[in-house]
Amino acid sequence: MDAVEKANLERQKRWAKERKVGEGTYAVVYQGREVGTGRKVAIKKIKVGAMKDGLDMSAIREVKYLRELEHQNVISLLDVFSSKTNLNLVLEWLETDLEMIIKNHSLVFLPADIKSWIAMTLRGLEFCHRNFILHRDLKPNNLLIAADGQLKIADFGLARDFADPGYKMTCQVITRWYRPPELLFGCRYYSTAVDMWSVGCIFAELMLRTPYLPGESDMDQLKTIFRALGTPTEEEWPGHTKLPDYVPVGQFTKSSMRDLFTAATADCLNLLSKFFIYEPRKRISARDALHHPYFFALPNPTHPSKLPKISTQPSSRTLEEVDGNVDLDSPGPAVKAPAPVPNRLKRKLSSVSSNQDGRETYARRLDFSQ
Amino acid sequence: MATKTNIGGWLRGTTVRKGGSNSNPRSTAGTPVVQSTSTTIFGGGVKDPSGRVSEFSVHRLFTLGPAPCPICQKTLRKLAFTPQTFEDLQVEKEVAIRRRIAKEFNKRREDFPDLRSYNDYLEEVEDITFNLINGTEIERTEERIAELRRASAQLTSANAARELEYAASLQAAEEAEKLARQQRALQAQKEEEEEREERERERMKVIELLERSEMSEEQVKKEVERWRREREKKRLAEQRRQQQAAKTLRNRAAAQSQMLPDTPHVPLQDDYYAWQDKYTMLPTYIDPSHGAVMQDREGIMRAGGYRIEEAWERAIRSAVAGLDVMPIDDEEDQWNGTLGEGVTVEGAGNVVAASA
């Protein structure tokens, strides 16, 4: 046994796999523990055999960047070891992700909660950008939430460092709903602005509790974007017609964001619109966004420990929430069931005119009379 | 002379257009407009020397542009006249001045580093206002205003814009609230209706049962009781559910306020050192190896947002990051001291792509 193997074995012994929690196309995720301390960890076992050409690209990317990044809002890679022919990444254990929180309609979001999540996302992203790394796959699903409420950017499988001048990057990155128009037009030279567009989409999704720009295909995605934000003119976005895959998709006029985000403050809408500036150079950067008045205005961002979370142990609060919901747990926002608890706030915020609105207020009337 | 009776007669000189009166020697039948002569001004326009002027005289005097005030000879414009709100003209004046001052001096607490300087600012504004209202040192005060305006023109306009936005958002919120109220009323009405219909249906059913079925009166009564109980149960369950929901929300809000308070936003919370102090970026560099990229004839880099500046910054940072690292060799001592802290690279003119 040579020194490398010995070292590897040493490492392997520090971690114990406990149970399988998920499986992706190229990896299996286990819950595990650090043998010495009993600390919970996630172990991502990468199937080396799955690819003909050896190790999957995303595994290499993930290891490459996570080894370097250390920040409270970026997932930390604790260790890497190999077992038989597999590569194992030991990551910190995180309870949930933002997608599950958004979809859990028994949770109520306050404006301050959204502010807190977006601020944490931006801090993590700013750190990546400061270190010349593009994430290229930001979406609620990849924003994990730790037990203490801290949000951490995860899944660096599509990340890369800034390209050197003249080097092409692929435009087939970022999950479609969060992909900026320059990538949809096949641009091969881009920058941090692509991640900022995704942050804008996440920001909007937190407020709407449903994806903001859900396109059905790449083509439809462009249409969806333009329908919401208006078709860009040459003035708004100089040179976009020269992009490799440019196709005109029709003229749409800009609809007012105020109509959709009725409860948002002026500062909030201002920041949101800056994430969705077509010209990537003018789109707000992570650092500038963190200094936007939205974050300094009241209410202060919620302390991470107080953010709504999906709790597994039955606390008094969750019980109540479940009780209020138990007969109506609806499969999705499209269902016209009597409004469950979370919808009460949501509907109130967006003041969608449906009779659920009336029901909710009627409840309040009953409440006061007693 | 309709207006004569209305306005107590002091408009006499201006109501000639009615042409009905012979008592007014200045009226000429067929000429509806009165010439502005000095006599008519004093006859009608100005009621008292305190500055109150009738609408009509304002129209008459200043339609043709700025004109001197018939009493104090100060040049006035039609636009400067506003309808009177307060009986006391001193109050009216003070309100007008305060309105103007509020527009000029709209800085907020956030615009100052500490409470002290904000208070000083408020004090200064109040001094200016006082001077204007009481007419002391008008000229000096105006100068002071102009000076302050110059100093903070940008901030003032930004704040004004912010205020406008805030007003708009308030209005929007109010409208939404109104809509919600309407819907609430509609919903309550609808439920009442349903309740009535339900009762009606029940009555019909009872009649039907009594008519057709074999049930005795007793049994029917029991059946009705059963329906009632069921309905009541359903109503209570619904009520409980709604109360529960309201309680959850309230609990959450209460918990929010009790537990550790939310701290104001701090943009960056890490203390990561990125060698920022060791270099200063220049706006551009002579970079022959990337000439084609910089020119970007197709414009695709421009539209895509690629920034060559970022590549330069990366190259320079990579270069300075290595400066403090001592070479690992036997001659380590020789290096110590020659290259140490505080080496600054002022973005040299030529950049070799260090990270390529």
Side-chain angles (χ1 to χ4, degrees), chain B residues 2-31:
Chain B
T3 41
K4 183 176 177 183
T5 47
N6 285 345
I7 318 184
W10 58 274
L11 259 179
R12 192 176 303 127
T14 62
T15 49
V16 207
R17 68 162 87 183
K18 295 284 178 204
S21 168
N22 297 332
S23 65
N24 195 327
R26 286 186 298 278
S27 73
T28 325
T31 38

Side-chain angles (χ1 to χ4, degrees), chain A residues 34-289:
Chain A
E34 186 173 12
V35 173
T37 60
R39 171 168 59 151
K40 253 197 207 173
V41 293
I43 299 174
K44 199 167 177 178
K45 189 172 91 179
I46 289 152
K47 305 170 189 166
V48 175
M51 296 282 288
K52 271 196 250 104
D53 319 328
L55 207 54
D56 190 75
M57 262 297 262
S58 48
I60 299 174
R61 284 182 161 145
E62 190 140 25
V63 176
K64 185 171 165 190
Y65 297 114
L66 284 181
R67 284 304 266 182
E68 305 288 336
L69 295 171
E70 198 186 323
H71 187 272
Q72 62 171 348
N73 298 119
V74 175
I75 192 169
S76 58
L77 178 67
L78 303 168
D79 205 353
V80 182
F81 64 86
S82 66
S83 59
K84 288 179 222 146
T85 57
N86 294 322
L87 183 69
N88 291 270
L89 313 185
V90 183
L91 297 154
E92 66 180 312
W93 177 260
L94 298 168
E95 301 283 329
T96 49
D97 60 62
L98 202 56
E99 190 186 12
M100 283 164 74
I101 290 187
I102 291 173
K103 282 192 175 159
N104 186 330
H105 284 275
S106 68
L107 296 176
V108 182
F109 295 177
L110 299 174
D113 301 340
I114 294 172
K115 193 178 285 188
S116 182
W117 278 317
I118 286 296
M120 288 190 281
T121 309
L122 284 170
R123 273 189 213 112
L125 189 62
E126 194 275 341
F127 183 75
C128 297
H129 289 175
R130 206 177 336 154
N131 286 295
F132 305 107
I133 291 166
L134 303 177
H135 184 280
R136 303 201 300 177
D137 196 17
L138 286 176
K139 53 180 172 180
N141 187 248
N142 282 340
L143 301 176
L144 306 188
I145 310 286
D148 65 352
Q150 280 289 349
L151 179 148
K152 294 177 192 256
I153 298 179
D155 196 349
F156 281 68
L158 283 171
R160 70 160 290 161
D161 52 345
F162 287 16
D164 287 324
Y167 280 80
K168 281 186 176 179
M169 293 180 266
T170 172
C171 58
Q172 294 299 320
V173 285
I174 306 188
T175 307
R176 193 192 301 126
W177 295 349
Y178 306 91
R179 199 181 298 162
E182 64 263 31
L183 292 186
L184 292 163
F185 281 144
C187 177
R188 316 300 296 267
Y189 308 94
Y190 47 84
S191 75
T192 51
V194 294
D195 284 337
M196 298 315 293
W197 181 278
S198 310
V199 175
C201 294
I202 294 166
F203 191 13
E205 188 166 338
L206 279 169
M207 287 190 266
L208 299 173
R209 299 291 289 261
T210 172
Y212 177 44
L213 301 167
E216 278 157 20
S217 62
D218 286 5
M219 204 55 207
D220 187 57
Q221 183 64 35
L222 275 171
K223 265 191 200 154
T224 311
I225 292 173
F226 293 163
R227 219 176 280 129
L229 301 160
T231 309
T233 59
E234 187 63 25
E235 204 169 70
E236 276 177 300
W237 188 5
H240 74 279
T241 50
K242 292 219 181 79
L243 288 172
D245 299 344
Y246 173 77
V247 269
V249 281
Q251 289 298 318
F252 298 98
T253 46
K254 189 172 169 53
S255 57
S256 163
M257 279 194 176
R258 165 62 60 205
D259 295 345
L260 189 56
F261 304 94
T262 38
T265 61
D267 279 336
C268 178
L269 282 187
N270 181 282
L271 177 60
L272 190 63
S273 63
K274 282 184 173 163
F275 286 126
F276 291 122
I277 292 174
Y278 281 120
E279 155 92 286
R281 286 159 176 248
K282 293 211 179 110
R283 207 172 293 155
I284 197 164
S285 72
R287 173 174 302 230
D288 289 346

Side-chain angles (χ1 to χ4, degrees), chain A residues 72 108 113 123 130-131 161-163 165 191 237 281 290 295 303 306 321 353 359 361-362 367 370, chain B residues 183-184 191 238-239 243 248 250 252 259-260 262 265-267 269-270 272 303 305-306 314 317:
Chain A
Q72 62 171 348
V108 182
D113 301 340
R123 273 189 213 112
R130 206 177 336 154
N131 286 295
D161 52 345
F162 287 16
S191 75
W237 188 5
R281 286 159 176 248
L290 279 168
F295 291 109
H303 190 274
K306 290 192 293 178
E321 275 167 6
S353 41
R359 179 179 291 278
T361 39
Y362 185 56
D367 205 31
Q370 298 196 339
Chain B
Q183 257 158 15
R184 226 175 298 163
E191 292 199 9
E238 172 71 357
Q239 197 174 327
Q243 272 174 10
T248 315
R250 265 207 308 275
R252 172 113 208 272
M259 283 173 354
L260 54 158
D262 297 320
H265 175 69
V266 179
Q269 297 184 331
D270 57 311
Y272 173 72
Y306 184 84
R314 185 175 178 185
R317 196 195 294 171

